[in-house]
Amino acid sequence: MTVASLPERLQAAMTEARKRRDQPRTLLLSTTLAELKNREFELNHPPSDDETIEVIRRAVKRRREAAEAFTKAARQELADKELAEAKMLEEYLPAAPAESEIRAAVRAAIAGGAKDIGQVMGKVMPQFKGRADGKVINQIVREELASPV
């Protein structure tokens, strides 16, 4: 049995959600698949799993930012809805690396001669592209650069 690609898994999940009459999930997945289709037109080829992960990560990030804005505006029910959607989409992302793994890569970059945030981020981000949130990596870089060696 072959493993389905991520776009195929999203399509299958949407079909399943439709069959169960799960409207919120159906809407979320159809919106995500539409974003994926737009990305396909930009790329002029069907998106790979990595490109699909990028689209899903952006969708999760947008929902988290929207939830933050709704929370600031005292609209908790809308913030909760956005966070629930982000959580649903995260099911399709690969597992994030452990903080210790990121910290080790940051320390290695610093030991390798990177002296400021830009240099360290430049060395570390490619290692975790598509697997870790840039904000988390940036926070760890700041902590490591601030701590005495």
Side-chain angles (χ1 to χ4, degrees):
M1 181 174 157
T2 58
V3 176
S5 70
L6 188 52
E8 290 168 348
R9 286 182 19 226
L10 287 169
Q11 187 66 50
M14 187 182 76
T15 303
E16 182 60 33
R18 276 192 176 144
K19 286 179 183 175
R20 287 187 317 214
R21 289 185 160 60
D22 183 348
Q23 260 188 322
R25 192 174 191 89
T26 302
L27 180 61
L28 175 66
L29 291 170
S30 65
T31 302
T32 305
L33 285 165
E35 291 171 10
L36 201 54
K37 197 63 153 164
N38 290 339
R39 184 74 176 129
E40 182 177 336
F41 288 130
E42 290 171 20
L43 297 169
N44 289 324
H45 64 80
S48 67
D49 278 1
D50 286 341
E51 291 159 340
T52 302
I53 287 169
E54 201 176 297
V55 169
I56 294 172
R57 264 199 206 291
R58 271 194 244 125
V60 168
K61 183 178 180 187
R62 266 196 318 274
R63 281 166 178 80
R64 290 199 183 288
E65 289 169 353
E68 213 172 283
F70 284 135
T71 300
K72 285 179 185 171
R75 297 293 309 267
Q76 198 54 48
E77 70 284 351
L78 293 174
D80 291 344
K81 177 182 175 281
E82 293 292 334
L83 289 173
E85 287 183 359
K87 192 166 181 62
M88 274 189 253
L89 287 174
E90 284 173 343
E91 294 171 16
Y92 300 98
L93 295 174
E99 184 180 320
S100 58
E101 185 183 341
I102 297 170
R103 200 168 291 279
V106 168
R107 287 180 181 151
I110 293 171
K115 292 173 181 52
D116 64 30
I117 291 176
Q119 289 176 331
V120 177
M121 291 292 287
K123 288 186 175 188
V124 175
M125 282 303 288
Q127 297 173 42
F128 297 102
K129 182 171 177 28
R131 295 190 311 140
D133 185 7
K135 281 183 178 178
V136 172
I137 295 174
N138 189 294
Q139 180 64 39
I140 292 171
V141 168
R142 289 176 188 276
E143 289 170 8
E144 289 297 320
L145 287 172
S147 68
V149 177

